[in-house]
Amino acid sequence: MQFKDYYQILGVARDEAADNIKKAFRKLARKYHPDISKEPDAEARMKEINEAYTVLSDPEKRAAYDQVGKGYQPGQDFRPPPDWDAGFEFSGEGYAPGDLHGAGDFSDFFAELFGRMGGQHGPFHAGHGAANLRGENHHAKVLLDIEDAYTSPSRQISLRVPNVDGSGRVRLTTRTLNVKIPKGVHEGQVIRLAGQGAPGFGNAPPGDLMLEVHFRPHGRFTADGRDLQLTLPVAPWEAALGSVIAVDLPQGPVKVRIPAGAQSGRQLRVRGKGLPDNPPGDLLLNIQVILPPADSPKAKQIYENMQSELAFDPRREGRD
Amino acid sequence: MSDDDIIIGTRLDESWLTLEQVASTCQVEADWLQRRIAEGLVPPPERMGGIWRLSGTMVARIRRTRQVERDFDAFPELAALVADLLEEMDDLRAQIRRLTPR
């Protein structure tokens, strides 16, 4: 395991005052906030910054970190001596909701140093009066296909989760779960796996695992909430004269009536044919008129007939 | 339970939870959540008796509000405004993604 220099991550000196550490954190949080940052590694950097600030903003954790990290360089192989944290009195409750982070958000290094839960003198003992404390919820993202919303498939999901070993230390390990995805999920929704979070303390129940749903990009469809959207190519005569077209959807083909005079760019809404839900979403069809190429004498003749027979000027609209 | 067992997932917006479970889901403190709901600064989850139900969008909204408050010592009203703007930005980005040909 590599040593992490939290001071270097926040760009502050080892003896920096608490106020300046806070200022440095805010500056970096603004720069790397995943919602607004254009940096390619913003999410990873923000996790690192959050972890560093969690330690350096807490006087007890900072003192312990300073003591155990003395003489280490960033990236250097690191193994804390046994019982290094004896003598420190930690008041925090580790990965408690107040920290706003799940244990999975932090590195192995953090877990090794501050991950002792329920130990006799570790930083993550259950705290006063917390003999029965419900386990923490864990959060993860899950990447699904749009078709999964229709079929309720089972998916194998691998997660890095903290586990408490025999000595009370927390180790991050990989856990693989087979999850039955509920029907009708859509982007941004959360799937709850009851009891699959962190174990509770004492007789308290475990927390839940929350999976935030994201869809992989699809070649034909996009999803907007429960609405399903796709571009529908149509021939000029289908658009001009109106037609009934079979559209292939994940649940099977549906027949859609194209009204006469439909133009490219027009959107048709077919109620109830979007993603399954209660009520189901709508199907949004973006009409795209495709011209046949004038690549044969006959096709050229047809276009020339249209030119001579139809008084049509597409640029006249708006000038009259 | 073995890792091979299939775990049945339920949609969060179809699950009724206690206030503590809602707070834990949003990674916030229960009393903070109650205060912000009372102040109208975060959307109130659907409520029936002592249990609550909320959507994934609401979870994201509540977490963001709390994070902005905490990371920048922001006034609650300002944090709520930032969360509004981030949500708006999410919607606009999603629209761009849908309009961008692949």
Side-chain angles (χ1 to χ4, degrees):
Chain A
M1 184 178 48
Q2 292 185 334
F3 180 75
K4 274 181 179 282
D5 188 337
Y6 290 141
Y7 290 99
Q8 191 184 63
I9 289 168
L10 293 185
V12 294
R14 296 188 82 81
D15 58 352
E16 198 69 72
D19 271 2
N20 290 338
I21 288 176
K22 187 187 269 188
K23 274 183 201 161
F25 166 74
R26 285 183 190 166
K27 201 171 159 186
L28 291 169
R30 187 164 168 256
K31 184 173 177 187
Y32 290 105
H33 195 294
D35 287 324
I36 50 168
S37 179
K38 296 204 181 338
E39 303 288 334
D41 58 345
E43 197 169 341
R45 287 297 304 271
M46 196 61 217
K47 278 185 182 176
E48 204 173 45
I49 291 160
N50 268 325
E51 181 177 316
Y53 185 63
T54 298
V55 174
L56 299 188
S57 62
D58 179 328
E60 295 150 345
K61 287 194 186 81
R62 184 179 177 185
Y65 170 77
D66 285 347
Q67 166 132 333
V68 77
K70 226 176 262 176
Y72 278 99
Q73 297 300 315
Q76 190 181 340
D77 192 47
F78 174 78
R79 186 71 48 195
D83 289 335
W84 65 272
D85 51 351
F88 285 101
E89 178 62 40
F90 294 98
S91 56
E93 289 182 5
Y95 308 120
D99 274 350
L100 301 173
H101 303 288
D105 287 345
F106 291 142
S107 66
D108 291 349
F109 175 75
F110 182 94
E112 176 70 33
L113 274 188
F114 300 106
R116 184 170 292 192
M117 300 172 86
Q120 291 185 340
H121 51 257
F124 294 108
H125 58 75
H128 303 293
N132 289 309
L133 192 66
R134 187 178 176 273
E136 183 208 351
N137 285 354
H138 287 172
H139 296 257
K141 287 180 182 174
V142 59
L143 206 56
L144 301 176
D145 294 315
I146 286 179
E147 287 87 349
D148 292 340
Y150 293 84
T151 56
S152 185
S154 294
R155 285 275 173 271
Q156 209 167 61
I157 294 165
S158 293
L159 301 165
R160 291 184 75 220
V161 293
N163 273 315
V164 185
D165 67 15
S167 63
R169 284 207 174 275
V170 171
R171 310 269 175 204
L172 291 177
T173 55
T174 301
R175 180 181 175 208
T176 303
L177 301 172
N178 286 321
V179 177
K180 179 94 173 149
I181 305 295
K183 204 171 172 181
V185 290
H186 42 83
E187 185 103 1
Q189 262 185 346
V190 174
I191 298 171
R192 175 172 175 251
L193 304 177
Q196 295 298 320
F201 292 102
N203 295 322
D208 301 333
L209 174 59
M210 303 288 179
L211 300 175
E212 188 184 315
V213 173
H214 292 266
F215 284 140
R216 287 189 191 90
H218 193 286
R220 289 181 65 219
F221 305 117
T222 53
D224 178 7
R226 67 184 71 166
D227 292 341
L228 188 67
Q229 202 170 133
L230 83 153
T231 298
L232 182 67
V234 294
W237 48 90
E238 290 173 326
L241 305 175
S243 53
V244 175
I245 293 177
V247 180
D248 281 328
L249 297 179
Q251 74 270 39
V254 292
K255 287 186 174 171
V256 176
R257 179 174 295 282
I258 309 296
Q263 297 283 1
S264 266
R266 181 170 170 190
Q267 191 176 71
L268 300 180
R269 179 180 289 269
V270 185
R271 300 230 176 256
K273 295 294 181 188
L275 298 183
D277 203 346
N278 188 20
D282 297 339
L283 174 66
L284 304 173
L285 297 169
N286 298 314
I287 300 289
Q288 187 184 24
V289 179
I290 306 286
L291 296 180
D295 57 358
S296 68
K298 187 160 189 181
K300 278 184 189 160
Q301 183 62 54
I302 293 170
Y303 277 117
E304 282 163 7
N305 285 348
M306 286 171 71
Q307 184 182 21
S308 57
E309 301 290 327
L310 300 178
F312 177 63
D313 179 358
R315 291 165 295 282
R316 203 168 65 196
E317 195 180 335
R319 292 207 304 259
D320 292 339
Chain B
M1 182 173 45
S2 125
D3 278 355
D4 294 333
D5 291 338
I6 292 185
I7 300 159
I8 308 291
T10 51
R11 286 169 43 174
L12 182 67
D13 57 357
E14 292 176 347
S15 307
W16 289 100
L17 307 172
T18 63
L19 172 65
E20 285 68 31
Q21 285 175 311
V22 170
S24 176
T25 299
C26 301
Q27 293 176 286
V28 301
E29 307 84 351
D31 58 340
W32 177 91
L33 182 59
Q34 276 188 309
R35 275 202 314 277
R36 293 296 174 264
I37 290 171
E39 291 160 355
L41 295 178
V42 297
E46 193 184 342
R47 197 172 171 179
M48 188 190 285
I51 50 176
W52 310 55
R53 194 161 71 169
L54 78 171
S55 68
T57 314
M58 289 162 83
V59 172
R61 167 64 189 269
I62 291 166
R63 282 171 71 171
R64 277 176 167 165
T65 305
R66 182 69 187 102
Q67 258 172 352
V68 173
E69 272 191 37
R70 175 230 185 219
D71 288 353
F72 299 101
D73 281 346
F75 285 114
E77 291 80 2
L78 184 61
L81 175 66
V82 171
D84 277 345
L85 295 174
L86 290 174
E87 208 170 282
E88 180 79 17
M89 209 163 69
D90 281 348
D91 290 345
L92 294 173
R93 281 177 175 162
Q95 277 186 40
I96 290 171
R97 273 200 305 276
R98 286 193 291 275
L99 293 171
T100 306
R102 276 184 287 275

